[in-house]
Amino acid sequence: MTSTRDTRTVMIVDSEPAQQRFLSALVSRGGWRSIIAGDTDTALAQLGTQEGMALDAVLVDQGVPGMAIPEFVTELRRWRPALPLIVITMRNGVEVAVSSMRAGASDFVQKPIAPDRLLGALDRVVSTSGPQGELRPLTEKLRAPLAFEEIIGSSPNFRSALAIAAKAARARVPVMINGKPGTGKEVFARAIHSASPRARAALVMVDCSAVSPGLIGSGLFGHERGAFPGAFDRQIGRLVQADGGSIIIDHVECIPPDTQAKLVEFLKNGEVQMIGGSIRQSVDVRIIATSTSPLDKLIEAGHFREDLYYALSSAQFTLPSLSERRGDVGPLARHLLARIGGLPGMGPIGVTDDALRLLAAYAWPGNVRQLQDVLFRAAVDSETDVLTSADFGAIEAALGGGSRASDGNIAINGEAIGVTLYLPDGNLRPLEEIEADVIRLAIGHYRGRMSEVARRLGIGRSTLYRKLSDLGIDTAA
């Protein structure tokens, strides 16, 4: 049960005073009020106080003194079953995260904490709108870079983007990647760096949406001590840190005009001058920029420099949303489950074809990131090592018009989708049965026009009729 008050309250369970202050300041930016507990026992004791009864969420650090985090989650769930709880783990703390999720945690984030991701996680776990359960996205999963050959997708628009990215990786030019949130821009950016001659050098990332606009310039170019109020120490910029390698500038559309001008100048002469400094330093770095907003519209509105756009767009492509390449959902889901199964605390995870058809029917507004999060949640929650459509109840509910056909397939608007390849136990069906289903589907799709059925299946009519006889298929059925 979430609060109806304007100000939401989160309990921060952490023993380090500096981290307590950091988290309190961070959540306050999102409109949250915080209370502090220094260990798990204190946190549980505070649940029964007046402040504790008014809590909207709990944020607990993996290293907090007291009971183990999964045990703490279980105990908190016993007293407050509906209270959202987010676990903060170390970068290598996936096993703790998995066991905490299985104990009932709502989500987890990994250190170092990205402010927008933590605030987004808090907002999601207390949200009362939209499908709940496994549709609540998780964050910071499966961060290992992929090679281009490991990126899954066969739709023409996706393959076109992949070809441009692979070609750009071998060049030295800046790259611009466009696409809606969750389409895989960071995956592509990291793959470009990994496939480039700079692969052994540094890869630095700057998320401009997670930084105050006034600090983006100092983050990129650095600043001297005393350059502006709050500049207590000299800071090396990310462009210098990436010297010899690549820098991913995420959400480039968020860069303010003055920093845009400095970036244009850098792209012309390759020199970095710190804010408040006088010395110029030559830097060799390849910029990979990403944007979720159409930059041409921002240029028309005067919010983005046209010369910067062209300087960053020597190679440019747009990643399609997952709803534009639904044929990739099945192979992509299997690929993601294979990676999820390799995480500490997990194991091999199968998925039935019935479940894949259900996933393919959904629109995926959060794109590949949402699919990954849904699969992760289902894998964590499942008591078996094979996911079925029953593990995706919120997806089926969200489809609305979807129903189950008499043969057990998912039907959208009355039409069954596809052919079942897997048995409920995750094993493949016999080839003869699959072939029979394909022929039946083709006969129904082409309304009994056997010449067309044979042509589309790539076989002769005589071969088709022989198969009908061998497989016992009645064309009048």
Side-chain angles (χ1 to χ4, degrees):
M1 182 72 68
T2 57
S3 171
T4 58
R5 304 179 311 279
D6 290 338
T7 301
R8 297 169 297 183
T9 304
V10 58
M11 179 193 289
I12 296 172
V13 189
D14 196 297
S15 60
E16 297 292 333
Q19 183 77 350
Q20 291 171 358
R21 290 192 296 272
F22 168 72
L23 291 173
S24 295
L26 195 159
V27 299
S28 69
R29 286 168 44 184
W32 289 79
R33 187 177 72 89
S34 58
I35 62 175
I36 306 296
D39 55 65
T40 56
D41 291 340
T42 302
L44 292 174
Q46 286 193 17
L47 291 179
T49 66
Q50 185 173 355
E51 273 192 323
M53 294 302 294
L55 283 174
D56 295 282
V58 173
L59 194 58
V60 58
D61 189 275
Q62 172 185 342
V64 70
M67 60 184 70
I69 295 302
E71 183 184 350
F72 171 69
V73 174
T74 300
E75 191 66 15
L76 184 140
R77 283 281 165 264
R78 197 162 70 86
W79 294 101
R80 298 285 294 279
L83 182 61
L85 182 145
I86 298 174
V87 178
I88 299 175
T89 72
M90 302 299 292
R91 175 62 72 184
N92 59 354
V94 177
E95 190 165 4
V96 172
V98 169
S99 56
S100 298
M101 295 291 292
R102 286 181 167 154
S106 308
D107 202 347
F108 73 90
V109 294
Q110 290 180 323
K111 294 179 179 178
I113 298 170
D116 63 326
R117 301 206 182 199
L118 177 59
L119 292 175
L122 280 169
D123 287 341
R124 285 192 296 268
V125 297
V126 300
S127 173
T128 57
S129 61
Q132 298 297 305
E134 63 261 43
L135 281 185
R136 288 177 176 163
L138 307 178
T139 56
E140 304 284 343
K141 314 302 185 295
L142 312 177
R143 301 274 295 184
L146 296 177
F148 282 117
E149 59 269 21
E150 296 177 286
I151 297 177
I152 302 297
S154 59
S155 66
N157 49 3
F158 187 82
R159 298 305 298 182
S160 174
L162 196 61
I164 295 171
K167 184 176 180 180
R170 299 188 293 271
R172 298 173 63 88
V173 298
V175 181
M176 172 67 75
I177 308 175
N178 304 294
K180 295 178 180 177
T183 49
K185 297 186 295 297
E186 184 181 339
V187 171
F188 267 70
R190 291 180 180 275
I192 289 171
H193 173 76
S194 296
S196 75
R198 301 170 180 268
R200 294 183 179 275
L203 174 63
V204 175
M205 183 167 178
V206 178
D207 184 355
C208 297
S209 70
V211 183
S212 168
L215 295 177
I216 292 176
S218 66
L220 286 171
F221 295 92
H223 62 255
E224 294 286 0
R225 180 178 180 181
F228 51 83
F232 301 116
D233 296 296
R234 186 173 188 265
Q235 177 179 299
I236 302 297
R238 296 299 182 88
L239 288 167
V240 173
Q241 292 174 24
D243 191 13
S246 306
I247 183 169
I248 302 173
I249 303 180
D250 199 17
H251 295 283
V252 70
E253 70 272 19
C254 296
I255 296 179
D258 58 335
T259 305
Q260 290 182 35
K262 286 178 66 70
L263 201 52
V264 169
E265 188 68 20
F266 168 75
L267 287 164
K268 286 179 181 177
N269 57 33
E271 294 180 342
V272 169
Q273 182 177 348
M274 283 185 168
I275 296 174
S278 58
I279 299 174
R280 292 180 176 272
Q281 176 180 351
S282 293
V283 172
D284 174 26
V285 61
R286 195 245 283 270
I287 294 178
I288 306 171
T290 76
S291 174
T292 58
S293 303
L295 292 180
D296 53 347
K297 294 182 179 178
L298 294 178
I299 292 171
E300 291 176 8
H303 299 312
F304 201 85
R305 293 177 62 111
E306 188 172 18
D307 54 354
L308 177 57
Y309 170 73
Y310 286 115
L312 292 173
S313 303
S314 299
Q316 179 179 196
F317 57 90
T318 299
L319 293 179
S321 63
L322 196 51
S323 62
E324 296 175 287
R325 56 185 189 107
R326 294 200 187 195
D328 291 339
V329 171
L332 187 57
R334 290 191 183 283
H335 170 75
L336 290 170
L337 284 173
R339 300 192 76 200
I340 291 168
L343 293 173
M346 302 296 288
I349 307 162
V351 59
T352 66
D353 205 55
D354 190 41
L356 292 178
R357 280 194 300 277
L358 177 67
L359 297 176
Y362 185 61
W364 297 108
N367 294 297
V368 179
R369 184 184 301 154
Q370 185 188 13
L371 173 63
Q372 174 182 287
D373 294 340
V374 166
L375 292 169
F376 186 93
R377 171 64 67 107
V380 167
D381 289 346
S382 179
E383 297 181 358
T384 70
D385 56 3
V386 177
L387 302 180
T388 70
S389 56
D391 291 298
F392 303 102
I395 295 291
E396 191 162 15
L399 285 171
S403 60
R404 200 165 292 278
S406 59
D407 61 358
N409 288 337
I410 300 299
I412 305 298
N413 297 326
E415 182 178 353
I417 299 174
V419 173
T420 300
L421 298 179
Y422 292 83
L423 297 168
D425 64 0
N427 290 313
L428 279 166
R429 297 172 63 208
L431 181 61
E432 184 179 86
E433 293 181 14
I434 295 172
E435 185 179 35
D437 281 357
V438 170
I439 293 173
R440 289 191 185 97
L441 185 148
I443 292 171
H445 186 77
Y446 296 106
R447 296 179 180 165
R449 302 194 306 276
M450 304 308 286
S451 295
E452 184 70 4
V453 170
R455 186 172 76 85
R456 295 293 180 178
L457 292 177
I459 58 178
R461 284 192 63 176
S462 59
T463 301
L464 174 60
Y465 281 112
R466 189 183 74 249
K467 287 182 177 292
L468 292 175
S469 176
D470 292 343
L471 296 170
I473 297 174
D474 182 0
T475 60

